[in-house]
């Protein structure tokens, strides 16, 4: 500002000197420029001095046309003030004169871009001559915020100069300038590598809009570069600057190395796994494709990935990933070595099953071929019996017989496991596992299951018989690891004995079951007394539970007993009567009666004294009764 004041003073001095040289006495003094924003009001001041004073001068304002001619816009003298009609300023100017200081101010409202003109203030004195001064009116408009637009597509470093982006700034005055920056350093035009093409538009308002397009040859370093524009524009008394956002560019560059790796499984690869290969170059050309090669076979990778499913040991070896740039035909490759571990099925020796004599020794081995260290464990009936691939069985007994399982695992690799079974048969005569109870009490009319577990090899033949050599049909028979299990179901219609006879070529064994049929008199007496047959047959026994006496039968039984007693009483009376009559008639009826007593329809009555409630049970039995149960006193 100081400089400008000094400049105007200097200008005034020049005018003064000029006036002096022209011998004129009117002096006019003006600033050489007035700066104002568009739309604002401009004030152009004209200072004059004349010996004639304000009454003796005429004041005129002009502006300079593009042709250089002057166009009058205002006239004033002692008698009148006239704004010229038909000029762009007719409606927008006023002039104020301050006589005391000789100051004339031209005020222009709503300044427009086209008002950027040179204005002349002309003072004519009646006696002192004429003098004029000039002021340039400079108009400014702050432009809109600039915009930047990046070129969306990626750019290959193999391409020539390519478009990076466009900046645009609108509605500024005077014309704003656009400068491109890359990472805070201005980009200067360089013919072969950087091109900046500006284009300028003058809007109907007279304002300038400027676009600038940046094109350049990108390098790999540009992939991280940030580009932006700086817009500089003038304002009254200075320069302003405004920046755009930054943009980045996608730079495609070829790889210099290719890396291939196994994404999964992590760690050991075993047969049956799926191997997921990944391949990546250190470049990013979209035109590059990856191929996986192994023993002459090519696998096309999708999304830089290939899954080889259900691998075997044959899939072991080197895998080469080849990257090919379809634009430049440059090839690069990386290699990885893969090893597929394996575990073959376990094999036992000698061939299963093996027969061994009692007291003898047996050695078995279990082997599974593997690429890794294996671990072998032998199990029998779910229990671990031995470690290591050799199984030694000393002094074989029936306990030794059974199925052995060898499990081969690989400690280094989870899930690698193989198993084999090995059967051992110990030769020997049958040996019936003695049941806990062979004397069984069972309710009358129920069914009892008798089970016989026999050890021995070859598997013994089991026959169930009764003392009178009747063969009982077995209801269940099963060969077990060390022998046979057999079961019969017998109906308890009276006391009975059943033999379980087992035999094979080495010998025979037998066990007898004595079943005592018991009768119950009251609800209290029917408390179940189901016998445990044998600990080794619990399974069979629970599968087919013994039948029990129905509790609700006791009332009916009592009624039946009473009826029977009545019938007996009647029968007794009838017999007695017949006897008496026979005696009278001389007939021998006694013999018939004794015969009938031993016949099939023998009537048995049991009396139980240990019951609180005295009750009589009546049984009708076709079989011979054990003597202790018979009350034959009728
Ligand atoms: C714009 O650039 C031109 C040429 O370099 C220069 O003369 C002018 O002063 C600049 N304008 C602004 C507003 O910086
Ligand atoms: C460009 O910038 C955006 C936003 O900052 C970012 O997400 C993107 O990754 C960048 N692209 C490149 C090529 O640097
Ligand atoms: C079954 O064994 C019993 C007792 O040893 C024997 O009395 C019976 O004769 C045997 N029965 C058969 C058919 O071998």
């Amino acid at each position: 500002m100081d400089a400008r004041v000094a400049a105007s003073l200097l200008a005034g001095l020049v005018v003064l000197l000029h006036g002096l040289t022209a011998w004129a006495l009117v002096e006019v003094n003006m600033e050489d420029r007035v700066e104002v924003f568009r739309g604002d009001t401009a004030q152009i001041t004209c200072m004059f001095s004349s010996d004639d004073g304000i009454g003796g001068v005429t004041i005129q304002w002009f502006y300079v046309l593009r042709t250089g001619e002057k166009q009058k816009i205002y006239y004033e003298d002692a008698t009148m003030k006239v704004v010229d009609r038909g000029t762009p300023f007719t409606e927008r100017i006023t002039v104020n004169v301050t006589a005391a200081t000789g100051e004339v101010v031209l005020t222009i409202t709503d300044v427009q871009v086209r008002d950027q003109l040179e204005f002349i203030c002309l003072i004519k004195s009646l006696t002192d001559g004429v003098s004029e001064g000039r002021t340039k009116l400079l108009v400014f408009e702050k432009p809109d915020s600039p915009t930047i637009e990046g070129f969306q597509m990626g750019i290959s470093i193999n391409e020539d100069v390519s478009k990076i982006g466009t900046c645009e700034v609108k509605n500024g005055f005077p014309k704003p300038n656009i400068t491109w920056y890359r990472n805070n350093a201005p980009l200067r035009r360089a013919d072969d590598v950087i091109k900046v093409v500006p284009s300028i538009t003058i809007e109907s308002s007279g304002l300038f809009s400027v676009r600038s397009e940046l094109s350049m040859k990108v390098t790999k370093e540009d992939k991280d570069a940030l580009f932006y524009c700086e817009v500089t524009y003038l304002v009254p008394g200075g320069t302003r600057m405004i920046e755009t956002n930054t943009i980045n560019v996608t730079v495609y560059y070829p790889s210099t190395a290719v890396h291939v790796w196994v994404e999964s499984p992590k760690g050991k690869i075993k047969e049956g796994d799926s191997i997921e290969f990944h391949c990546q170059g250190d470049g990013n050309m979209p035109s590059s494709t990856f191929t996986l090669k192994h023993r002459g076979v090519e696998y096309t990778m999708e999304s830089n990935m290939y899954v080889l499913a259900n691998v075997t040991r044959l899939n072991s070896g080197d895998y080469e990933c080849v990257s090919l740039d379809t634009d430049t035909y440059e090839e690069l490759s990386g290699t990885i070595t893969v090893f597929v571990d394996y575990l073959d099925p376990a094999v036992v020796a000698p061939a299963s099953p093996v027969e061994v004599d009692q007291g003898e020794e047996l050695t078995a081995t279990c082997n599974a071929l593997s690429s890794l260290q294996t671990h072998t464990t032998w199990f029998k009936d779910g229990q671990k019996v031995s470690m290591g691939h050799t199984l030694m069985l000393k002094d074989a007994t029936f306990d030794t017989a059974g199925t052995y399982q060898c499990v081969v695992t690989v400690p280094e690799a989870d899930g690698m496991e193989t198993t084999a079974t090995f059967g051992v048969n110990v030769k020997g005569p049958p040996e019936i596992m003695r049941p806990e109870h062979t004397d069984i009490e069972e309710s009358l009319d129920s069914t009892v299951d008798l089970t016989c577990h026999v050890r021995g090899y070859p598997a013994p033949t089991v026959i169930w018989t009764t003392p009178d050599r009747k063969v009982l049909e077995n209801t269940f028979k099963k060969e077990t690891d060390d022998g046979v299990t057999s079961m019969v179901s017998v109906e308890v219609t009276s006391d009975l004995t059943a033999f379980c006879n087992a035999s094979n070529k080495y010998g025979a064994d037998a066990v007898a079951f004595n079943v005592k049929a018991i009768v119950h008199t009251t609800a209290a007496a029917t408390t179940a007394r189901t016998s445990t047959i044998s600990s080794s047959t619990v399974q069979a026994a629970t599968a087919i539970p013994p039948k029990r006496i129905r509790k609700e039968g006791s009332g009916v039984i009592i009624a039946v007993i009473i009826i029977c007693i009545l019938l007996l009483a009647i029968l007794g009376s009838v017999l007695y009567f017949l006897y008496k009559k026979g005696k009278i008639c001389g007939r021998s009826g006694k013999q018939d009666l004794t015969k009938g007593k031993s016949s099939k329809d023998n009537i048995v009555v049991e009396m139980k004294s240990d019951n609180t409630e005295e009750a009589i049970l009546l049984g009708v039995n076709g079989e011979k009764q054990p003597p202790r149960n018979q009350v034959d006193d009728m």
Side-chain angles (χ1 to χ4, degrees):
M1 276 306 242
D2 286 355
R4 250 198 344 230
V5 169
S8 22
L9 287 177
L10 191 66
L13 192 64
V14 170
V15 170
L16 183 67
L17 288 171
H18 187 263
L20 284 176
T21 50
W23 302 105
L25 296 169
V26 179
E27 288 166 23
V28 174
N29 220 334
M30 286 176 83
E31 288 181 302
D32 61 3
R33 59 163 70 187
V34 164
E35 299 183 331
V36 66
F37 276 117
R38 187 175 79 110
D40 281 0
T41 298
Q43 290 193 316
I44 300 170
T45 305
C46 172
M47 307 285 290
F48 77 93
S49 64
S50 163
D51 292 345
D52 293 343
I54 189 72
V57 296
T58 61
I59 301 162
Q60 290 176 78
W61 283 94
F62 301 85
Y63 71 91
V64 181
L65 291 165
R66 302 209 184 283
T67 54
E69 290 169 58
K70 293 195 280 188
Q71 168 68 51
K72 184 157 68 68
I73 53 170
Y74 184 81
Y75 175 90
E76 178 176 344
D77 62 17
T79 57
M80 60 176 169
K81 299 175 177 190
V82 182
V83 176
D84 284 69
R85 297 191 174 278
T87 76
F89 299 100
T90 308
E91 306 295 331
R92 292 189 289 133
I93 53 168
T94 50
V95 174
N96 287 315
V97 179
T98 311
T101 53
E103 186 180 86
V104 182
V105 177
L106 170 68
T107 301
I108 309 168
T109 60
D110 189 21
V111 172
Q112 292 303 308
V113 168
R114 61 174 184 275
D115 300 341
Q116 179 155 309
L117 296 165
E118 190 172 32
F119 289 85
I120 298 169
C121 168
L122 187 124
I123 308 292
K124 195 183 276 178
S125 163
L126 290 176
T127 55
D128 293 338
V130 62
S131 189
E132 66 169 37
R134 294 183 177 223
T135 290
K136 275 184 186 146
L137 177 61
L138 298 178
V139 181
F140 298 85
E141 179 68 29
K142 178 181 181 296
D144 299 343
S145 287
T147 56
I148 187 166
E149 208 177 303
F151 185 61
Q152 290 307 305
M153 314 277 263
I155 304 162
S156 164
I157 65 165
N158 296 326
E159 280 174 49
D160 257 4
V161 177
S162 343
K163 187 174 159 183
I164 302 293
T166 307
C167 280
E168 184 163 24
V169 60
K170 285 186 164 169
N171 300 320
F173 196 89
K175 181 182 77 67
N177 286 348
I178 292 176
T179 312
W180 279 92
Y181 280 76
R182 173 176 61 190
N183 295 335
N184 303 325
L187 286 170
R188 302 269 170 245
R189 181 191 303 250
D191 277 346
D192 286 346
V193 281
I194 300 173
K195 281 189 177 133
V196 177
V197 180
S199 60
I200 298 146
T201 312
I202 300 171
E203 309 287 345
S204 55
S205 56
L207 300 175
F208 290 101
S209 290
V210 183
R211 265 170 73 90
S212 174
E213 190 179 291
L214 172 69
S215 301
M216 59 183 273
K217 182 166 171 48
V218 297
T219 64
K220 191 172 165 182
E221 286 67 44
D222 290 322
K223 74 186 168 69
D224 302 316
L226 294 174
F227 293 87
Y228 67 93
C229 288
E230 182 190 270
V231 172
T232 47
Y233 59 94
L234 295 174
V235 293
T239 305
R240 293 275 187 280
M241 183 268 280
I242 180 169
E243 285 174 0
T244 64
N245 299 327
T246 58
I247 55 165
N248 54 18
V249 287
T250 306
V251 177
Y252 292 129
Y253 50 92
S255 299
T256 56
V258 169
H259 177 49
V260 54
W261 71 98
V262 171
E263 182 67 24
S264 81
K266 295 286 180 206
K268 298 268 180 214
I269 300 166
K270 54 182 185 294
E271 291 194 324
D273 282 352
S274 290
I275 307 180
E276 188 178 318
F277 288 97
H278 280 234
C279 200
Q280 202 169 59
D282 57 357
N284 66 349
M285 294 297 270
S287 54
S288 66
T289 61
F290 292 101
T291 310
L292 195 67
K293 292 183 181 176
H294 174 61
R295 293 190 185 171
V297 184
E298 295 195 3
Y299 309 98
T300 305
M301 300 192 100
E302 268 170 44
S303 313
N304 300 358
M305 188 188 90
Y306 187 81
V307 177
L308 198 59
N310 200 8
V311 293
T312 69
R313 67 199 76 180
L314 298 179
N315 295 109
S316 294
D318 288 347
Y319 286 79
E320 186 186 22
C321 176
V322 182
S323 139
L324 173 72
D325 190 319
T326 51
D327 284 347
T328 59
Y329 291 100
E330 271 178 49
E331 258 196 22
L332 278 172
S333 73
T335 303
I336 188 173
T337 304
V338 160
F339 190 81
V340 180
D341 284 307
Y342 54 90
L343 175 66
D344 281 346
V347 176
V348 286
S352 169
V354 160
E355 291 178 11
V356 60
D357 286 321
Q358 277 175 317
E360 284 204 346
E361 187 178 298
L362 172 70
T363 304
T365 58
C366 175
N367 287 300
L369 195 64
S370 176
S371 55
L372 295 166
Q373 195 78 37
T374 59
H375 189 264
T376 307
T377 313
W378 291 85
F379 292 91
K380 183 175 186 254
D381 301 327
Q383 300 288 314
K384 191 192 280 186
V385 292
S386 177
M387 304 266 270
H389 74 283
T390 305
L391 174 72
M392 281 272 285
L393 299 173
K394 287 181 178 156
D395 193 14
T397 64
F398 284 142
D399 289 333
T400 315
T403 304
Y404 291 78
Q405 191 180 36
C406 88
V407 178
V408 182
T409 55
V410 177
E412 274 175 273
D414 269 359
M416 277 179 98
E417 186 179 305
T418 175
T419 63
T421 55
F422 181 64
V424 174
N425 295 316
V426 177
K427 293 189 270 185
E431 209 173 78
I432 298 177
M433 311 279 279
R434 298 291 147 186
E436 246 182 87
H437 307 283
T438 49
D439 292 326
I440 300 154
E441 289 188 357
E442 195 61 36
S443 303
L444 190 66
D445 282 337
S446 66
T447 304
V448 66
D449 294 327
L450 305 175
T451 306
C452 198
H453 180 68
V454 193
R455 305 213 289 183
Y457 187 85
T461 312
V462 178
I463 298 170
W464 292 84
T465 57
T466 57
D468 53 355
R469 303 206 155 261
K470 212 173 122 190
V471 174
L472 300 170
E473 203 63 42
N474 60 10
T475 49
F476 174 82
K477 182 179 172 235
K478 185 183 155 207
E479 296 224 348
T480 60
D481 271 352
D482 54 358
V484 167
T485 296
S486 178
M487 187 176 86
V488 284
S489 297
V490 284
E491 269 189 45
V492 184
T493 52
S494 67
D495 289 352
L496 62 95
T497 298
F499 295 112
C500 165
N501 299 61
S503 64
N504 68 8
K505 64 177 177 183
Y506 297 111
D509 193 10
V511 75
F513 291 90
N514 297 309
V515 181
K516 184 187 171 203
I518 52 163
V519 286
H520 301 282
T521 51
T522 64
T526 57
T527 310
R529 285 174 70 188
T530 309
S531 303
T532 305
I533 298 160
S534 155
S535 59
S536 62
T537 59
V538 165
Q539 209 178 356
T542 51
I544 309 156
K547 285 177 188 168
R548 293 183 181 193
I549 276 178
R550 283 171 296 179
K551 280 189 174 181
E552 74 273 14
S554 54
V556 179
I557 288 165
I558 290 165
V560 169
I561 290 164
I562 292 165
I563 291 165
C564 289
I565 290 166
L566 286 172
L567 285 172
L568 280 171
I570 293 163
L571 187 64
S573 342
V574 170
L575 286 174
Y576 185 72
F577 172 74
L578 286 175
Y579 177 72
K580 281 275 180 171
K581 209 179 179 187
K583 236 181 181 179
I584 295 164
C585 297
R587 239 186 88 182
S588 169
K590 199 180 179 182
Q591 252 184 337
D592 285 350
L593 272 173
T594 44
K595 269 186 183 171
K597 212 173 180 185
S598 59
S599 77
K600 269 209 155 188
D601 295 316
N602 194 9
I603 295 158
V604 180
V605 175
E606 180 189 342
M607 298 195 68
K608 278 208 160 181
S609 56
D610 57 333
N611 281 323
T612 48
E613 198 184 319
E614 196 167 301
I616 307 154
L617 280 174
L618 182 91
V620 179
N621 203 334
E623 294 291 321
K624 202 170 115 185
Q625 300 291 317
R628 61 196 168 97
N629 278 352
Q630 271 181 339
V631 180
D632 221 355
D633 58 348
M634 278 297 284

